[in-house]
Each structure stands twice: as C-alpha cells, then as structure tokens.
Amino acid sequence: MKHRTFFWFFLPTGLAMLLFIALPIVSVVIQSVFAPHEAVLKTVENCTPLVGCTTETTIDQDATRAIRDAQPLGRFVGLDIYFDRAHLAVAEVSEAWAASQSWGEFSSKLFNLPLYRALAFTLTFTFIVTPLLIIFGLMIALAVNSLHRHLKGFMIFFSLLPMIVTPLIGSLILFWMVDSRGVIGSALVALAGDPNFSLKASTGLTWVMLIVYGVWHSAPFAFVVFYAGLQTLPKDQLEAAQIDGASRWQQTKYVIIPHLMPLVTFVALIQLMDNFRVFEPVVGFNASAHATSLSWIIFNDLGGETRQLSAASATSVLTILGVAILLSPVLVRTWRDFKGK
Amino acid sequence: MLMKRVAFASTIALWAGGALACEIDARVNIIGNEFPAIQTVGAGATECTGAEVKKNLTADHKDIHVAGMQGDPAEYTSAIVANSTLTILMNDDLVRPLDDLVAKHGQGLQKSQLITVDGKVMAVAFMANAQHLMYRQDILAELGIEPPKTYEEMLAAAEIIREKGVMQNPIGGAYAAGWNLAQEFNNMFIGYGGTFFKEGSAEPNVNSEAGVQTLNMMKALTEYMNPDFLTHDSNATNAEYRAGNIALLNMWGSRAATQTTADGVTDEVKAGHAIAGPMTVGGGTIPASTLWWDGWTVAKNISDAEAEATFIAMMNGIRPELMQDAEVASQAVWLIDGYEPTDAAIGVFDAAKAGTVPYPMVPYMGLMHGAIGNELSDFLQGKESAEQALADIEAAYVTAAKEKGFLK
C-alpha cells in the first residue's frame, strides 16, 4: 500500500484512537499527579431534628472557591499518590522489610497493604485462569469439531452460553447457588458434615470459586477462536500423518496444535489483559472481604461517599503499566518474528 | 386490561388532585435513595403540573448525585439526602441555602425540619431514622428471655437460643464488607463512648480502648451469625429474618413497617415480630446506634426559577395531608406536621429519647467510613489482631485524608 493511501485509510481509526484512547490516558495521568486543594475548615453550628444544635466542622466554601479558581487543577503532588499507602506504599514496604525477621512476617505485612493484596489475587487469578481457559477452550473446540454436523450448531450455541450471559448476572447466579442456603452451598455443608461450613466465609474457597467462574466465563472465547482455526486445518498434512500411522493424540500434538499456535498467542494476549482487569466477579460474588483486584480498588475509590479521583487515577495508571509488563514478552516475540520475516 | 384502566384512572385522579395544589413553571429533576418513604415523597413531587418533573430514585444515588449536580446547569435540581450525604454535597458546594424559599413557600414546615448549617437552612428534613432492635417475641417468651437492652444481654439470649436448639445462628446483622460493616462499627464505637477524631481536628482517633472493645464485641456477635455474614447487607439480613432464620437483629427503623409485609414472610415471623429501642453496650448510657434524618436539598447550579419550582414540588411531596393516609404514615418516622406515630415508629422514638447521637456531619467522615469498611474484614475473619485492624483503619484514613487535603 502506498504511504498516501495508507494515511487516508488509517486516518479515521487514528483519530478515534487519539480521541478515545490516548486523550483519556493523558487525562488520567494528569489527574494522578494532582490532588484536591487543602480544605479550609471552619467551625459552625448545625441544627438537626430530634437532636438540636451542635458545633461541627465544615468546609469554608468561599475560601475554598478562591483557591480553586486560582488553580483549577488542584495542587501538584508529583508522584506522592503513587508512593502512598493506598498504592505502592514505599515507606510501609521498606519499614516492613527492615522490621521483619522472616519472609513469612514480611509477606504478611506486605499483603496487609491494599495494592499488594489486590495484586496477589489479580496475578493468581490471571496466571491460573489464562492457561486453564486455553486448555478447556481447545478441548471443547476439538470435541465439537468431531461431532456430527447436525449436532454442531446446537453444541456451539451451548458452549457459548457462559460468554453470552452478562458477567454480573452469571456471577450472581453462582453466588446464590453457593450461599450456605443455596443448592451447591447446602450440598457442600452435607458433604463437609459441618453445619457452619461456608464457602463464602473462606478466603481460599472464595479464590477457587472466582477462578472457576473466570474459566467458565472465558473458555467459550478461546473455544470460538480455536474452532474457527480448526476449519482451516491442512487436510493433506493430516492425511499424511494418518497414513504414517499417527495416533489421534499424535495428530493433535504434532499437527493441530502447531497449526493453532498463532491463535493460542492471540487468545493468551487478550485473556491476560482481560483477566488482569478482573472486576465483575469480585462485585457479583460480594467477595471484597477475601479477594480484591486492581479494578475493584478503582471502583471502590470512585464509589465511596467521598470520591477519591486522584487515588483512582493513580491505580488506573498502575493497571495500564501492569498490562504493559504482562504483555511485553509476547509483544517482544511477535516483534522479533516480524523483523525476522 | 383492567389493571391498565385502573392505573390510568388513578393517574388522572392524581393529576387532577395535584393540579389544584401544585403549579410550577420550570423543570424539576430529583435524585434520591429508594425506599418506600422516599418513593412517596417523589410521587408527591411529580404530581405538580406546568413543567416537567423527573425523578431518579435508586440505591446507587450516592454514586451519581455529585456528578449529576456538578455541571452548570446541574442535571438534578434536588437531591434527597441524609446526614452523611448532605455533607458530601456541601463539601463540593453543590446545594444552595434555602432561607428565602422557606420564607416564601415554606408555610407548614416545622422548625425541627430545617437542617441549618452555620445559620443557613441547607436541607428540609422529612423523616428520622435509626438502627434499633428487632426481635422474635414468640421465641424469647417461650424461653423466658426478656428482650435485650444491652449487647451483652443479646449475646446471653443468643447463647440460650442456640443451646436449646431453636436456632443455630440466632443473631443477624448487616455485616457485609464495606459501608454496612463500617456502620455497625460506628454504632458500637459510639456506644463504647469512642470519638472518631481528635478534638477539633481531622486526626483519626479510633485506635483506642473503645475501638478494641468495639471489635471484640463485633467478633463475639459474629459467632452467633450465619457464617456468610461478611456478604450480608441489610437486604440479605432482612431476608434471613423474614425466613425465620434469626431471632435478634439491629436494623434500620425505616424497615420496621415492611418487615412483615414482604412476600414469603412465614406466619411465625408475622406473629412474633416485635421492635424495641437501640441497645447500649459496655455499661454505657448512650445507645450503640446513630440518629439519622432524610431530607431534600435544592441544587446550587440551577436558575432561581428552577430552584423555586423544585422547592414547590418538593413541598408538595411532603405536604401534611399525606399523613392522613395510614399506609404512608406507617412508612417512616415522619417529621411532618400532623404525623401520628404508628407502632413501627417506637424504635426510632426510643432511640431519640435515649439520647442516641446523630451520625457525624464532619466533611472527612465519609473517608473514615470508607476506611473502616475496607479494613475490618481481616479482623473478623481472625486473620489479624484488633490493634492491627485499628492501626490499618487509621493508616488508610490518613492516606485518603491527605489526598483530599484534610490532613497535611
């Protein structure tokens, strides 16, 4: 393609990307290095029903407005918010490092900090769910592909259901089922033989539940991609393998999987990104007491009665950096392959 | 078809009835929480004619009211608020003083309805609320237990109920991690005589003896709760109560009337349901509860005509005639002239009489509430000590307060 043609071809996409991706990121970065002005407080008398009047502190709006008008962005705090306790917690981590006698003590102090606690779950979730969903997706794709053609359409629809169901609804349905009075919950109580057994009260089991949900929800995506890939299998290679006496397993291992490898990379990329931003199940399962994620922290900062925009922005920027780090090995390899060609 | 016709006829009737009373000439748009009493106020406001009255009543009102009133002109002309949310709107200077409108259109308001801050009326309250005891008198009477007046008595009663094999987990509580859990901490902390902040400053003061006692009492209560307690908000707790699974709970007064009217309430619960004032704790005299009011505000960033129309419409939503309707009267503890307290109101009135303190209205309380809600669950799961949990709360609060400019 000529450069000129490419330019006009790419222009609409480029503009949209600038407007909807680049600019919001710039605004989030700016917001994360500014914080609201120091509040000017004053003491006033409040009167409320059934209680009468009391002395309370409130914000002096006139004085605050003057400061705000002078510097509408807020006060510049540099990277302070990135380094505070709610984010990278530099001071707290080094203090914990100095004060700890053992690794166990250090890690328990580290995972008491909100960002590291969230990272622990987020990374565990990402690195368990992503390989599992690729394996399950591949297995479903191979199974459906070997079905009689009359059954295929029906099975494809069924396999896709978990992805069609809205994530929040899907997690809520499972949440009610595992309630200690729900179907699965009561069954587990009977199995455990302990009337106080509760899946939702255990951190470990909550993680397992979220991971199972994550695989259940995302495996259909891998399935669809791999199923499409299977339709382009080189017939002659497979026949050659059969003539050579390759077993079904050997055919899969030496012909089918290598053929699908670029798709595996694609699915891994997309799912690493998606799973790193795990959010809906944490909310749907009401699991924030046991498992938090980076996206949940952003939601929590924005959803409190007092919104913490700067804290939420800083976590957003850290999430973007996290995704970039996660994807870098795959991206570097893709780049090398490209250069090699 | 019949239903449609009835609905249509009643709409016409409402419209005709409203037209006599309420005429406005600018747009009105209301944002607020969603429970029966607020639905009544919202419906009353939409009866006004002459201009469009819209309302958005949702449990998620807290997430959108600031954004919806920040613009100029603001999307919402009125927010229905409570103690805590008025502070949030005032922090961002989003509501206007109502003194002139009260003088012009506020006939019939009681003085106690006017929420004044620094001598200016900032909101018009229409109902009061507090958390207080709800219990199953049939179960307690059968076992010869008096309704508990303190949390210690509640624990003793729960032990007897469990021991006799009536219920495995007789205590209920809205202990869902987040806002609900923090609110239960606040109640107990106040009951033990704790203060959230050092006198006259935004410095936290929860890592204290009162704090430790509070956490130990909460932990003791959770031993008698459904093991899923960290996921039970007030709706889930009520569902447990209505299903007859719990016998004692600290619950919002605004839920007292509807506790036995929802679908699926068992007959035993209907017959046995009773309410009483809030309990004290640790030998204290101030109840372990907080007093709340719900009221409405008028947005700052709107034209004076819209503000006046909003005020008139909202006044129509809280007009004294509504109190004649027995169902409306039972929905809340109304502060409106002409309200005759119903049986469901005993708990909240007892709370006021017993000297329950109002929920703190300082600008940084929202951050404290958030910090408590996030940092408590580890302690309740037995993963860390009370002192560690309280230190975490203070550290999380200080971080947030520094960001928001309340602390240096």
Side-chain angles (χ1 to χ4, degrees), chain B residues 72-246:
Chain B
D72 195 358
E75 168 73 9
Y76 297 111
T77 65
S78 173
I80 296 178
V81 294
N83 311 32
S84 60
T85 36
L86 175 62
T87 315
I88 303 304
L89 294 182
M90 283 181 49
N91 281 356
D92 284 344
D93 199 18
L94 298 177
V95 289
R96 61 168 67 200
L98 300 173
D99 298 79
D100 51 335
L101 289 168
V102 169
K104 197 171 170 192
H105 298 288
Q107 297 81 19
L109 286 179
Q110 316 223 55
K111 183 156 188 318
S112 67
Q113 282 182 264
L114 305 176
I115 307 296
T116 64
V117 177
D118 201 12
K120 285 180 270 191
V121 178
M122 297 310 288
V124 176
F126 53 82
M127 61 172 277
N129 203 353
Q131 284 162 287
H132 56 70
L133 178 67
M134 295 187 191
Y135 64 100
R136 290 279 300 280
Q137 59 184 8
D138 52 337
I139 292 178
L140 266 57
E142 196 185 307
L143 298 173
I145 313 170
E146 285 290 309
K149 293 210 159 19
T150 67
Y151 270 101
E152 287 79 7
E153 288 175 20
M154 189 189 205
L155 283 175
E159 179 55 37
I160 298 174
I161 297 173
R162 178 181 282 180
E163 207 173 274
K164 301 278 180 196
V166 182
M167 285 172 185
Q168 175 64 21
N169 297 308
I171 295 182
Y175 273 49
W179 197 94
N180 287 276
L181 182 60
Q183 180 54 24
E184 294 296 331
F185 175 91
N186 293 346
N187 290 337
M188 205 68 82
F189 187 64
I190 288 171
Y192 276 113
T195 49
F196 293 95
F197 305 100
K198 298 209 170 93
E199 184 68 35
S201 80
E203 295 282 343
N205 193 29
V206 294
N207 195 355
S208 60
E209 203 192 327
V212 175
Q213 288 170 325
T214 300
L215 288 188
N216 289 333
M217 175 52 82
M218 289 176 82
K219 178 100 185 183
L221 289 168
T222 60
E223 308 287 330
Y224 294 98
M225 289 185 189
N226 181 312
D228 293 348
F229 61 86
L230 280 173
T231 65
H232 282 191
D233 58 7
S234 41
N235 285 331
T237 312
N238 278 339
E240 283 274 281
Y241 182 69
R242 286 169 177 153
N245 293 330
I246 52 181

Side-chain angles (χ1 to χ4, degrees), chain B residues 308-332:
Chain B
E308 189 167 357
T310 304
F311 193 91
I312 295 171
M314 295 311 289
M315 283 297 290
N316 197 56
I318 61 166
R319 59 186 188 278
E321 296 91 84
L322 288 172
M323 296 299 111
Q324 310 303 321
D325 184 334
E327 197 197 322
V328 171
S330 75
Q331 281 170 346

Side-chain angles (χ1 to χ4, degrees), chain A residues 16-331:
Chain A
M17 280 168 77
L18 191 74
L19 206 60
F20 298 116
I21 301 177
L23 284 184
I25 291 178
V26 169
S27 116
V28 164
V29 171
I30 292 176
Q31 203 148 40
S32 68
V33 294
F34 283 94
H37 290 292
E38 271 158 25
V40 186
L41 301 174
K42 61 175 179 179
T43 314
V44 296
E45 188 170 66
N46 280 6
C47 299
T48 52
L50 303 179
V51 177
C53 299
T54 49
T55 317
E56 295 274 17
T57 309
T58 185
I59 291 179
D60 187 337
Q61 291 299 348
D62 295 328
T64 308
R65 195 174 312 120
I67 307 175
R68 255 185 220 158
D69 288 347
Q71 283 176 295
L73 266 177
R75 70 195 145 102
F76 181 75
V77 291
L79 296 177
D80 282 5
I81 293 182
Y82 288 92
F83 293 145
D84 72 10
R85 182 183 180 274
H87 300 89
L88 294 172
V90 178
E92 285 78 3
V93 172
S94 55
E95 195 182 305
W97 180 251
S100 301
Q101 306 297 328
S102 65
W103 273 102
E105 197 184 338
F106 175 67
S107 74
S108 84
K109 279 183 182 157
L110 184 68
F111 293 127
N112 193 30
L113 296 165
L115 184 86
Y116 295 101
R117 170 198 296 241
L119 267 180
F121 173 72
T122 310
L123 290 176
T124 311
F125 184 86
T126 308
F127 285 111
I128 296 184
V129 169
T130 310
L132 279 181
L133 77 88
I134 289 175
I135 294 168
F136 276 107
L138 190 63
M139 279 162 52
I140 304 170
L142 287 171
V144 169
N145 199 39
S146 61
L147 284 175
H148 187 268
R149 64 191 167 86
H150 288 309
L151 273 172
K152 269 184 189 169
F154 187 67
M155 284 312 290
I156 289 173
F157 173 74
F158 255 84
S159 313
L160 283 182
L161 264 184
M163 203 166 70
I164 297 170
V165 176
T166 318
L168 209 53
I169 306 295
S171 49
L172 271 177
I173 293 171
L174 202 61
F175 177 69
W176 288 322
M177 283 163 72
V178 300
D179 187 274
S180 60
R181 299 190 199 285
V183 181
I184 301 178
S186 327
L188 286 174
V189 167
L191 273 177
D194 172 7
N196 272 328
F197 179 84
S198 162
L199 201 148
K200 290 186 201 166
S202 148
T203 301
L205 291 175
T206 303
W207 283 33
V208 171
M209 175 173 71
L210 291 171
I211 286 168
V212 168
Y213 169 80
V215 175
W216 176 78
H217 176 72
S218 304
F221 172 75
F223 154 68
V224 165
V225 174
F226 294 146
Y227 184 75
L230 287 177
Q231 308 315 306
T232 66
L233 271 184
K235 289 264 160 33
D236 38 355
Q237 255 187 46
L238 264 184
E239 274 169 22
Q242 279 163 3
I243 292 166
D244 288 347
S247 68
R248 208 183 153 85
W249 165 241
Q250 283 168 326
Q251 289 172 36
T252 310
K253 191 175 167 193
Y254 296 110
V255 181
I256 298 180
I257 292 185
H259 178 74
L260 292 179
M261 230 24 220
L263 292 177
V264 172
T265 314
F266 166 74
V267 172
L269 262 178
I270 299 283
Q271 289 299 322
L272 277 177
M273 215 154 46
D274 273 1
N275 292 330
F276 192 69
R277 292 180 289 118
V278 52
F279 171 63
E280 289 97 338
V282 178
V283 172
F285 284 105
N286 227 333
S288 60
H290 303 287
T292 52
S293 68
L294 292 184
S295 300
W296 182 85
I297 292 184
I298 299 170
F299 168 77
N300 193 47
D301 283 342
L302 292 178
E305 286 187 342
T306 309
R307 292 190 303 166
Q308 295 172 248
L309 285 174
S310 309
S313 308
T315 313
S316 305
V317 174
L318 291 174
T319 310
I320 295 173
L321 292 178
V323 170
I325 294 170
L326 270 184
L327 299 192
S328 55
V330 191
L331 288 178

Side-chain angles (χ1 to χ4, degrees), chain B residues 292-308:
Chain B
W292 291 69
W293 52 262
D294 287 85
W296 44 262
T297 56
V298 177
K300 181 161 195 160
N301 301 334
I302 53 173
S303 70
D304 288 342
E306 286 170 342
E308 189 167 357

